[in-house]
Amino acid sequence: MSYSTSEPQRRPRPRPRWWAELLLIVVVYAAYSGGRLLARGDVSTAVDHGLTILRIEQTLFLNAEHPLNRLFTSTPALGIPADFAYASLHYLVTPAVLIWVFRRGPAVYRAARTWLMLSTLLGLVGFTLLPTCPPRLLSAGHGFVDTMAQYSSYGWWGAQASAPRGLGGMTNQYAAMPSLHVGWALWCGVLLWRHARTPLMKWLGVAYPLLIAVVVMGTANHYLLDAVAGAAVMAVGALLTKPALALADRLRDRMDETASTTSSRLTHAVLTLLSHPAAAPRRTAIVSGGCETSAGERFPGQRARTSTSGAAAVDPDDEGPEGDAAGVPDDTQAAAR
């Protein structure tokens, strides 16, 4: 498996914010759960797929489900703990390992989180394209016993998978292929083996996915090929993790560059206006409109500006009561004459 914790990036990324990561995981898991419900196929089709898997296993001389299921059914000391493990560890160990990886560092966490999410989405594609009836829901003639229903009085689950009593309708019981119980357990095991500091934790990383594989078959929730498919989905997700991280980094770098360019332009424009006020557009409108008031006038009259020769131009239409230009001094009128 080519899972790698090395970051395919040119500069270090800050540590992810825990609340943002929690929100992301909740959204992805809600989408995954909703997708499982929407992917419910026809029951007869799901049963046909389950029987096909059984025939393939018989052709390959594989038959791990029947002996394990008979053992768990006849031995409550094994069957009851197995049912508890199936109904709980999937939802407890996986988040615990994810939190543990978060504390290990941003590079390890980003790779592990991306790997888990990609594999889960691939599993959802499998549920949609290949709805499969689990062994426990096949007719009794195929030799399987639903241990979850047999030991339901010992736990919180009812006769419908591992959902709490009364909530069986909120889960898709025909999402057996691939087994993400095995897939998520394998994800936990690989991370423990690679990053644990004690031999005990490393060996727990080896034992945990093997235990879950035995549990899912012994409780008749999955076929052996379901478990193999779950491991294959995780392998494909691991192969896609590095390219996905590289693509995410390129998109983020491009967004950062765009934001930086826009910010630089705005900053340059503001500094230009502050440093060179004359560069800013100024309004040159004259409030008075060219009207001036001379001594003795009750209303302002329009004045013409002095020409370049120094002589004042007189508006012929602006006349006073005596027929002269209004407001023009006598000596100026005499000179004009």
Side-chain angles (χ1 to χ4, degrees):
M1 192 171 292
S2 61
Y3 164 75
S4 174
T5 59
S6 59
E7 287 284 293
Q9 56 191 20
R10 292 168 293 183
R11 59 189 179 87
R13 298 294 186 189
R15 176 182 290 274
R17 295 179 176 88
W18 68 267
W19 55 267
E21 292 299 318
L22 179 61
L23 179 61
L24 174 63
I25 292 170
V26 169
V27 169
V28 171
Y29 185 76
Y32 161 73
S33 299
R36 280 184 52 143
L37 292 177
L38 294 176
R40 290 176 176 175
D42 181 65
V43 174
S44 61
T45 302
V47 171
D48 290 340
H49 290 161
L51 295 177
T52 300
I53 291 175
L54 276 182
R55 286 194 294 268
I56 294 174
E57 291 185 358
Q58 291 172 0
T59 302
L60 298 175
F61 301 101
L62 301 175
N63 187 22
E65 303 93 327
H66 282 102
L68 286 173
N69 183 240
R70 286 194 293 268
L71 178 63
F72 284 13
T73 303
S74 60
T75 311
L78 294 176
I80 295 174
D83 288 340
F84 273 99
Y86 181 83
S88 61
L89 296 184
H90 184 61
Y91 308 102
L92 296 177
V93 176
T94 307
V97 172
L98 191 64
I99 295 173
W100 174 73
V101 172
F102 181 84
R103 298 175 61 87
R104 298 290 297 174
V108 176
Y109 173 77
R110 287 188 72 227
R113 175 253 285 155
T114 304
W115 178 24
L116 179 64
M117 290 185 177
L118 288 175
S119 303
T120 301
L121 293 177
L122 290 175
L124 181 59
V125 173
F127 302 151
T128 304
L129 299 179
L130 193 68
T132 304
C133 177
R136 63 183 180 83
L137 294 182
L138 294 176
S139 60
H142 294 284
F144 292 103
V145 176
D146 187 353
T147 62
M148 303 292 291
Q150 180 181 356
Y151 300 122
S152 61
S153 60
Y154 292 91
W156 59 84
W157 59 87
Q160 295 177 308
S162 59
R165 291 185 181 87
L167 299 179
M170 298 180 64
T171 184
N172 182 3
Q173 298 191 80
Y174 299 99
M177 171 64 80
S179 172
L180 285 187
H181 271 76
V182 174
W184 287 13
L186 182 61
W187 176 84
C188 295
V190 170
L191 292 175
L192 288 174
W193 177 261
R194 290 179 64 91
H195 303 293
R197 297 176 180 176
T198 63
L200 176 60
M201 292 300 295
K202 288 182 176 293
W203 284 110
L204 284 177
V206 174
Y208 179 60
L210 296 176
L211 172 66
I212 294 300
V214 171
V215 164
V216 299
M217 288 186 290
T219 57
N221 279 286
H222 289 281
Y223 307 93
L224 174 61
L225 290 184
D226 292 346
V228 173
V233 163
M234 300 308 295
V236 175
L239 292 175
L240 295 177
T241 296
K242 189 173 181 179
L245 287 175
L247 176 61
D249 287 336
R250 285 196 297 269
L251 293 176
R252 181 172 178 175
D253 289 340
R254 185 171 300 177
M255 293 176 62
D256 290 345
E257 290 174 2
T258 303
S260 177
T261 302
T262 304
S263 177
S264 298
R265 290 176 179 175
L266 291 175
T267 303
H268 177 73
V270 172
L271 291 178
T272 300
L273 293 176
L274 293 177
S275 302
H276 306 285
R282 293 182 299 176
R283 302 183 63 179
T284 58
I286 301 175
V287 176
S288 64
C291 295
E292 300 176 358
T293 304
S294 299
E297 287 184 331
R298 300 183 64 179
F299 300 99
Q302 186 75 22
R303 300 288 185 268
R305 298 301 178 189
T306 306
S307 64
T308 55
S309 61
V314 180
D315 187 352
D317 296 330
D318 188 13
E319 295 183 353
E322 300 296 330
D324 297 329
V328 179
D330 294 340
D331 55 346
T332 304
Q333 297 179 17
R337 294 191 184 95

